[in-house]
């Protein structure tokens, strides 16, 4: 099976457009692989059986399954964004990991709970949460 791992570190705040293009390509390939797997395990047949009984219930069950799966993927993605190790350099300051706390993000698929690291600049200052940082255009 083909590896769908990202081409570069996902924890790089200043990623170039080539890695974004590669990530989009990987996402597309992963989506195709998911659909192929769903076909192999007979997902459509199960939805069809539910449809015979109650079309609205069938669509609701399928939506709930997809949203649950998507929230799980988003949780894992948010946690991967935060995987920087014991220390890192942010805004020209050396920071050490100060601990891990729970985070929550509201997404199109519902609320997603995840773990996020806090980093404290050397010396003093408020802890920084790297999961909140993202590249802005």
């Amino acid at each position: 099976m083909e590896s769908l791992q990202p081409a570069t570190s996902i924890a790089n705040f200043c990623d170039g457009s080539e890695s974004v293009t590669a990530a989009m390509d990987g996402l597309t390939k992963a989506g195709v692989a998911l659909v192929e797997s769903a076909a192999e395990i007979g997902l459509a047949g199960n939805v069809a059986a539910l449809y015979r009984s109650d079309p609205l219930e069938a669509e609701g069950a399928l939506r709930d399954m997809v949203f649950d799966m998507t929230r799980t993927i988003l949780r894992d993605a948010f946690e991967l964004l935060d995987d920087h190790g014991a220390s890192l350099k942010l805004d020209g300051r050396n920071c050490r990991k100060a601990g891990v706390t729970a985070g929550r993000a509201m997404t199109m698929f519902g609320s997603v709970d995840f773990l996020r690291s806090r980093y404290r600049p050397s010396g003093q200052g408020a802890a920084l949460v790297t999961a909140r940082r993202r590249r802005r255009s």
Side-chain angles (χ1 to χ4, degrees):
M1 172 180 241
E2 178 183 2
S3 171
L4 298 175
Q5 294 296 316
T8 60
S9 170
I10 58 172
N12 184 347
F13 294 124
C14 299
D15 244 16
S17 62
E18 287 181 22
S19 62
V20 171
T21 301
M24 286 299 293
D25 185 45
L27 186 61
T28 300
K29 289 178 180 179
V32 168
L34 282 171
V35 170
E36 289 172 352
S37 294
E40 288 175 16
I41 62 173
L43 180 63
N46 290 319
V47 173
L50 286 173
Y51 234 89
R52 282 189 196 98
S53 171
D54 184 342
L56 186 58
E57 182 181 349
E59 289 184 21
L62 181 60
R63 180 205 56 223
D64 292 348
M65 181 202 69
V66 170
F67 276 32
D68 287 346
M69 178 186 65
T70 303
R71 284 192 300 269
T72 298
I73 292 167
L74 287 171
R75 180 203 66 215
D76 293 349
F78 295 156
E79 289 179 358
L80 284 170
L81 282 171
D82 202 34
D83 184 24
H84 297 284
S87 65
L88 54 86
K89 191 167 192 165
L90 287 174
D91 301 328
R93 298 185 292 177
N94 291 321
C95 302
R96 291 198 174 278
K97 187 179 271 187
V100 177
T101 59
R104 175 172 283 165
M106 184 51 70
T107 73
M108 293 189 314
F109 303 97
S111 179
V112 175
D113 295 321
F114 61 98
L115 297 176
R116 61 188 182 183
S117 297
R118 292 180 301 113
Y119 290 85
R120 190 168 313 283
S122 296
Q124 55 183 319
L128 306 168
V129 178
T130 58
R132 290 186 184 159
R133 299 174 61 90
R134 65 177 181 221
R135 186 173 177 225
R136 300 187 196 279
S137 17

